[in-house]
Amino acid sequence: MNRPQEEFRELCLDIVKQLGGLPLALRVIGASLYGREIAFWEDKFCILKNNSLDKSISQKLKVSYDALDDHEKIVFLYISCCFNGVYMDRAKMILDPFVFKSEPRLVTLMEKSLISMSNNTRLWVHDLVQDMAKDIICEGKANKLWERQMMWNVKDVKSLLTENIGTKDIEIESILLNMAGETGFCINPTRFKRMISLKFLKIYSNFTDGGSKVCMVDNFDYLPPLRYLHWEAYSLKYLPSNFKTDYFVEINLSDSSVETLWSECQELGNLRHLKLNRCRNLIEIPDLSKTRSLECLCLCFCESLVELHSSLGDLDKLVTLSMNHCKKLKNLPCNIYLKSLKTLKLDGCTNIQEFPLVSNNIETLGLSFTSIEVVPDSINRLSKLMELRLSYCKRLKNLPDTIGCLDSLVHLTLANSPNVTVFPVLGNRVKILSLNGTAIEQVPSSIGEKMNLSCLDMSECKRLQNLPHTLSKVKTLRFLNLRGCININEILHVPGEMRRFDLYGTLIEKNGDLSEEELHKRDMSENTRKNGTLDS
């Protein structure tokens, strides 16, 4: 039938959802349900929810796997066991050293419904398919840990890294160790010397108030030729002196005890991502002059970091540099004028006093909680700048009029910067403007010309006088926050499409013909229209 009978309808939807719409699984389950009573359907659904799947499903799913070529099989197993939920671009970056040009293989796997991709481009593998992948990896090797291609079971990984398993080489390529809810243990460092094929090592959820759960000893002097190293809360002050750096694509040592990574300049021609967030003992960044492929460098909350190595200026492929809350950092290298840099985050770097010299290609610039006093007139050359954050800059003075020349600027925030007294000149693309907690007194009548403005926050602007009537011309305005603006006493004529309007703490009791109650109803009506239900 085209439609299920009414008594089966809800169960049909539940089963399809439980199977993630997977065509092969739907075919197998549908065949087993055909002509059965509703009680049988209910029992089958309970089995599915408890992941107690009968073998016919796994066997049917495996038919699709067996039809893949060798490269597609490798990509499938890695996506299922290592990169489920990871952004596609990032997965490709790490997979390419394993399989040349992995993207066509990913497309094939999507066409066969073995993997899928969400709207935000994250790769996703259904639980049934992931279980099948794990069964394939363990097939015939249940008692031979050293022969498995990948390992994720905590008990097995502990055995591999701590117990005596003979003298054979360990063939494993990938280890994923999730320490959430696990007790700590100490690794035997000599075990890594026998992992001649290890390419992927991820130890995560490893940090507690007491430090690292996975204990290392100081004679840890060797790592295999890894492509990917993600070791949260790594407990030593530096990486082993004897390890191959040539193949690294990503290094992530967040929450670690490292003070430095290595002493001499290393060959890291393939390294794309280096993440050292919350390494609070990190005192220096090594020479990165041979890391010319680096695209992302993350150093947030590295509280002991005072300066950056001058080789940073050689990273002409660097796209993202994040150093939020590096409180001892005073200056950036003078040669940070990097042509590929699009995102620079210095929020919370309280000792930064000078506006950074960056290339015209910058798109996001985060400078909140810094000690910057002056934004230079030359900011108008940043023609691609889309977001500028200058909140909580206690010394910041009024912005230059040249900021109005930034035709790409969409988001500007000056919140709680007390020395800002003049409403900034705005370009025509600004949508979000946060001026709350400033000393601004007047909003210019030219605000009516900003036809893209959707959010204006001027809450707690104690000196702010009544807003100009031209504000009613901004038909795109949806959110207006005047909470705590104690001098506002004039009834406002707001745009007809206004959705959120906060006048608490002002002298206005009503909003002309449109009361706050009516605005609230309109807001709820809009949520109902968009979402089909009322927002809580």
Side-chain angles (χ1 to χ4, degrees):
M1 292 178 287
N2 291 331
R3 294 176 179 273
Q5 297 174 11
E6 187 60 33
E7 63 267 32
F8 287 91
R9 184 177 183 278
E10 187 173 346
L11 266 172
C12 281
L13 296 174
D14 289 341
I15 291 172
V16 170
K17 182 178 179 181
Q18 187 66 31
L19 294 173
L22 199 67
L24 281 174
L26 288 171
R27 190 175 301 147
V28 174
I29 292 297
S32 69
L33 295 174
Y34 180 70
R36 301 283 188 172
E37 299 292 329
I38 195 167
F40 184 90
W41 283 55
E42 291 169 343
D43 290 343
K44 194 69 157 181
F45 179 56
C46 287
I47 293 172
L48 289 173
K49 284 201 299 184
N50 292 321
N51 287 326
S52 299
L53 303 170
D54 58 44
K55 293 182 180 179
S56 62
I57 298 176
S58 294
Q59 290 169 354
K60 279 288 186 182
L61 294 177
K62 194 170 182 297
V63 170
S64 281
Y65 171 81
D66 291 337
L68 301 174
D69 67 31
D70 290 343
H71 295 295
E72 290 163 353
K73 287 179 179 179
I74 293 172
V75 172
F76 168 70
L77 293 176
Y78 269 99
I79 295 297
S80 299
C81 299
C82 301
F83 302 117
N84 194 6
V86 172
Y87 287 108
M88 183 172 177
D89 286 346
R90 189 152 169 270
K92 286 192 301 180
M93 177 190 75
I94 301 169
L95 277 170
D96 280 346
F98 294 84
V99 177
F100 181 69
K101 297 294 184 183
S102 59
E103 184 170 6
R105 331 288 184 183
L106 289 167
V107 172
T108 299
L109 294 174
M110 290 181 199
E111 291 173 347
K112 294 180 179 292
S113 297
L114 288 171
I115 66 173
S116 59
M117 187 166 62
S118 63
N119 290 336
N120 62 355
T121 68
R122 287 182 185 268
L123 297 173
W124 180 76
V125 181
H126 191 274
D127 291 348
L128 302 180
V129 179
Q130 189 177 56
D131 289 343
M132 177 193 70
K134 291 181 177 180
D135 288 342
I136 290 169
I137 290 170
C138 296
E139 205 170 56
K141 298 179 180 179
N143 298 316
K144 297 179 180 179
L145 298 181
W146 58 88
E147 291 184 359
R148 290 186 189 170
Q149 183 182 5
M150 303 178 192
M151 192 173 294
W152 55 85
N153 181 277
V154 175
K155 182 179 178 181
D156 290 343
V157 175
K158 282 185 178 180
S159 297
L160 187 74
L161 296 177
T162 61
E163 296 176 8
N164 183 7
I165 56 173
T167 58
K168 292 184 177 181
D169 287 336
I170 300 171
E171 298 176 12
I172 194 162
E173 291 185 5
S174 299
I175 295 176
L176 292 90
L177 180 58
N178 183 356
M179 291 299 294
E182 300 292 333
T183 57
F185 67 97
C186 191
I187 290 178
N188 179 352
T190 62
R191 199 55 47 86
F192 284 111
K193 294 180 178 180
R194 292 167 50 199
M195 295 183 185
I196 56 175
S197 301
L198 189 66
K199 301 178 180 70
F200 183 102
L201 176 61
K202 183 173 182 178
I203 300 174
Y204 58 109
S205 300
N206 188 42
F207 184 75
T208 65
D209 292 338
S212 175
K213 294 181 184 178
V214 176
C215 172
M216 292 301 302
V217 292
D218 288 333
N219 64 344
F220 179 46
D221 60 355
Y222 175 81
L223 270 176
L226 294 166
R227 269 71 168 170
Y228 177 94
L229 174 63
H230 179 134
W231 194 328
E232 292 176 14
Y234 175 78
S235 60
L236 299 183
K237 295 179 180 180
Y238 39 79
L239 287 173
S241 56
N242 183 15
F243 75 110
K244 293 276 188 180
T245 60
D246 311 52
Y247 305 107
F248 269 122
V249 174
E250 178 169 327
I251 299 175
N252 186 339
L253 297 175
S254 297
D255 294 298
S256 294
S257 299
V258 289
E259 294 180 1
T260 185
L261 296 180
W262 45 77
S263 56
E264 298 179 357
C265 184
Q266 298 286 337
E267 292 288 346
L268 287 155
N270 291 307
L271 189 66
R272 307 271 290 277
H273 286 200
L274 177 57
K275 299 181 180 181
L276 301 169
N277 293 328
R278 298 175 300 282
C279 291
R280 303 184 189 278
N281 299 325
L282 187 71
I283 56 177
E284 64 178 2
I285 296 297
D287 187 340
L288 298 174
S289 56
K290 294 184 179 180
T291 315
R292 302 301 290 270
S293 297
L294 194 66
E295 297 173 359
C296 178
L297 177 59
C298 297
L299 303 166
C300 299
F301 291 94
C302 292
E303 297 174 350
S304 300
L305 190 63
V306 176
E307 62 181 2
L308 298 175
H309 198 279
S310 60
S311 61
L312 190 69
D314 298 328
L315 306 181
D316 51 10
K317 292 185 179 180
L318 192 67
V319 176
T320 300
L321 177 57
S322 297
M323 295 181 291
N324 293 343
H325 301 282
C326 292
K327 295 182 178 180
K328 291 186 178 181
L329 186 68
K330 293 184 178 181
N331 296 297
L332 299 176
C334 58
N335 58 345
I336 199 176
Y337 196 89
L338 302 171
K339 63 180 181 181
S340 297
L341 192 65
K342 293 183 178 180
T343 300
L344 176 60
K345 299 179 181 179
L346 296 169
D347 303 288
C349 295
T350 52
N351 277 313
I352 294 290
Q353 299 181 18
E354 300 292 331
F355 194 88
L357 177 63
V358 291
S359 82
N360 301 351
N361 295 320
I362 201 78
E363 295 179 0
T364 300
L365 192 51
L367 300 168
S368 295
F369 293 93
T370 62
S371 297
I372 289 173
E373 186 174 344
V374 176
V375 173
D377 290 340
S378 59
I379 193 172
N380 63 340
R381 66 179 176 79
L382 305 182
S383 58
K384 297 182 181 180
L385 186 63
M386 299 174 64
E387 181 178 358
L388 177 60
R389 300 192 299 268
L390 287 162
S391 296
Y392 292 91
C393 293
K394 302 301 183 184
R395 301 176 61 196
L396 182 67
K397 296 179 180 179
N398 293 319
L399 301 187
D401 290 348
T402 51
I403 199 167
C405 300
L406 299 179
D407 293 333
S408 298
L409 191 64
V410 173
H411 186 176
L412 174 63
T413 174
L414 302 171
N416 297 291
S417 295
N419 291 322
V420 173
T421 60
V422 176
F423 196 92
V425 177
L426 300 177
N428 291 324
R429 289 195 62 192
V430 172
K431 291 183 179 181
I432 301 172
L433 183 59
S434 300
L435 303 173
N436 44 302
T438 61
I440 292 173
E441 296 183 11
Q442 297 287 340
V443 174
S445 59
S446 59
I447 190 75
E449 302 169 5
K450 306 307 170 188
M451 292 306 172
N452 286 308
L453 189 64
S454 62
C455 176
L456 177 59
D457 187 353
M458 300 200 70
S459 57
E460 303 301 328
C461 290
K462 304 297 185 183
R463 299 184 183 182
L464 184 65
Q465 304 300 313
N466 290 320
L467 273 61
H469 293 289
T470 54
L471 187 66
S472 62
K473 296 180 180 180
V474 187
K475 303 302 182 183
T476 56
L477 193 62
R478 300 291 183 270
F479 306 98
L480 178 60
N481 190 351
L482 299 174
R483 175 180 285 250
C485 296
I486 56 177
N487 291 318
I488 297 289
N489 59 16
E490 183 178 293
I491 294 174
L492 300 174
H493 297 283
V494 298
E497 295 298 317
M498 181 71 70
R499 298 298 167 208
R500 301 281 175 104
F501 193 22
D502 193 340
L503 295 172
Y504 184 84
T506 68
L507 297 177
I508 300 176
E509 293 183 358
K510 291 184 177 180
N511 180 44
D513 296 330
L514 198 61
S515 68
E516 287 191 74
E517 180 181 357
E518 288 170 325
L519 278 167
H520 177 69
K521 287 180 181 177
R522 188 189 297 180
D523 184 26
M524 298 294 278
S525 174
E526 176 71 4
N527 285 329
T528 303
R529 183 181 69 79
K530 287 184 177 180
N531 304 322
T533 58
L534 290 179
D535 282 355
S536 58

